[in-house]
Amino acid sequence: MSVKNKDKEILENILKIQDNIDKLKEKYKDDLEFVDEIETSCYKSLFKGKNRIEEDFKEQVNTDRNIRVGIVGRVKAGKSSLLNSLLFEGRDILPKAPTPMTAALTQMEYSNKNYIEIEFITEDDIALLKQQKEEYKKLFERVREEINIEKEGKVEDLSKEAEDRIKADESNEILIASKEIYYNIKKIKENNKNIYDEVMSNTTKKIDFNNIEEIKDKLKDYVSSDGIYVNFVKSLKLYINLDILKEISILDTPGFNDPLATRNEKANQLLSKCEAILILTPSTHNFSKSDIDAINRISKREGIQEIYVVISKFDDSLLSDDIVRKADDNLDNAIDNVLDELYDNIEDNFNKINNDGVFDNILKNIKKRVTYSSGMCANMFETFEDKHQWDNEKKKVFENFSEKYKDYFSEKENELSILNLKKLGNIDKIREILKDVESKKEDLLKDNLRKFDKRYKASADDIVKEITNYAARKERQIDSGTTEDKTKEINNLLKSYDKIKPMIHSAYLDTIRSWAVSIDKDAASRLDKYYRDLETKINSFIEEKDAMFGKKKRYIKVQEIKNSINNYIYEFNNFNLNFRLERYQELESTISKNIINIFSLEIPDNTEINNASIKILISNITMEHQNKIEYGYFDEVLSNFFHGTVGNINMMKYINKFELEGKDADNCIIGINAIKEHLRHQFREQMNKRIDLFSKELNELDFASILLSKYKSKLENELRELKDKSSSIDKWKKIKKEIRNII
């Protein structure tokens, strides 16, 4: 079988699983709860429709892109120092995160033009931070009360002791960070509303820079401890004209105890697309709970093929009196002794978490797959000639090494000191690892097809397991339920019907209004981002060269530009198709949360009502009305443009050209600009239409009556199941068999 046929067969098998899921949903479409359970399982999985699967497949089989390398580890593990040494000869270009709360997700990619793209948090992120802040408040009060009881009220500063106890537990890091970020944002909103409004109205910002040295200064307001935007930054993308990035793209992740769920989700998604991972773990705090959490996430990502461990901040482990004494003041002995101990620790920890065999290569080749580095020493090595400019921390480190390892470091013996700083920095070894990964590029990217197949099959297993468990729960509920309890629940609903109906209607309309404003702003911002990305790509394929008599002549790469516009259209169509998944589900969740409060407060003795059952009904109501709206797509639009006249330019002349120069290039650019503007206008118009029509549809609904009627029908259906327990249980046993046939 040829590779091409094998590729096709793998894709068809995955699409068949999606088809089986869709058929199961269609067969039981009248059982809204079961359908919602299937959809929820799919939403958490890779099975989000055939279009998404085909898109993922297309990327996986692409062997022309860069290798992706992810850098993972807790905050303050030394990731920025390592990258500064690898990419920028030890200069402090990439700033360290001032606090664990403000560590941004950073991607670095090659580009002819240097620029930074900054993504800000959204109002939804702030709402989540507020919710987590409230959880911290509840935790604080509980711990405070526990301490008071334990110590019989004999504590001088109860609040401080409660804070210290909460901080001592790593599992509370997210709540602590959320509280601090939220209060910082609230303060900015009150005292500097212009900054707050700017961020909330623009989800991204682009900053150009001319050379590497400018990066730190350009980022100062966004990542430094006193930066005015620092609490709002979600992620950074650095596009740099740097040779090392021509073959390798780098992802620097924040610590995994991230208070921003959306950033954490994005980091996980990007990591799953990496071919290689460098795990950084500090030498003196090797394998903390945070390290284990990070590595456990990697162990579930079957696609990552090359994994290395870098013991960071290695200089810290060499300066204790015990290590120096055991090594007889010999630096090489000290390095070997520390490494031997760390190898044992790493081996023990990886053996405990190697459930799926993903760490076999490390365990079999621990001395090849585990190395060390000191970003501090690497920086000192690179800047030794200017050591008079070192900060106090670097001066102190050099002083300590000169005192404890006198035969290796000396103010007088510069060459010896430089050699040993280079040894401790060990950046050449990290570069060797990257070169090794780069040399395997062809094999790694070809192996992505195996990755694709394995990931989707594992995801399908998860779906089958979840919905099988749901069917088993239904069996148990029917077996243990009584018609008396269900009848009582129906009667409680009917008694409260007239009272809660206007309350539901009011809460519903308020939610729709605020959602429509938010979603319109979000759509505009994201479409602007797509357009800016397109402009950047197109500009990279236009070049001005010197011609005769001091004139300039423009050259353009037609096919590359055409492909960029095609991708732009593809991005919009994909955005169009998945819009409901992102913001419509948010609407459903908000409505259900508001309405469940009304149910729980107003319906007496109601033990069955829950958020899930209401959300299912709301989801089906909104989906039904969403599907009434027709939306256009743009699959043929580019072909029509290039075969017609655009902006008075006959594009037929240029359709099959690969490169144009001079007047032809100028004319083609006029036509391309007209195409861009037309598409931009059409995309925005279509999104406005989608939002306006859907909002109008929902506003005109007698939502309260529909919801209450559907909920009553749901309860009556459950009552019927209880009246014929035997048949109902048989039905769910049959469904369990059908679920197993999905794969």
XYZ file of all heavy atoms in Angstrom, residues 165 307 372 512 612:
44
model
N -0.890 29.667 55.868
C -1.263 28.256 55.709
C -1.753 27.983 54.289
O -1.449 26.946 53.707
C -2.341 27.869 56.729
C -2.671 26.389 56.700
C -3.624 25.979 57.806
N -3.021 26.058 59.126
C -3.594 25.583 60.230
N -4.791 24.996 60.157
N -3.011 25.691 61.402
N 11.722 13.826 23.908
C 11.618 14.474 25.212
C 12.992 14.483 25.882
O 13.668 13.452 25.937
C 10.606 13.751 26.126
C 9.223 13.715 25.457
C 10.515 14.435 27.485
C 8.178 12.944 26.225
N 22.248 19.388 31.957
C 22.116 20.492 32.906
C 22.419 21.812 32.215
O 22.998 21.859 31.134
C 23.061 20.296 34.097
C 24.530 20.443 33.730
C 25.149 21.697 33.768
C 25.293 19.353 33.339
C 26.484 21.844 33.407
C 26.617 19.479 32.988
C 27.215 20.739 33.019
O 28.525 20.884 32.654
N -29.279 37.932 27.103
C -29.136 38.088 25.649
C -28.546 39.455 25.315
O -27.647 39.577 24.473
C -30.503 37.922 24.930
C -31.052 36.509 25.107
C -30.378 38.265 23.446
C -30.249 35.444 24.436
N -27.111 20.870 34.581
C -26.972 20.113 33.338
C -28.303 19.952 32.620
O -28.407 20.148 31.409
C -26.364 18.745 33.627
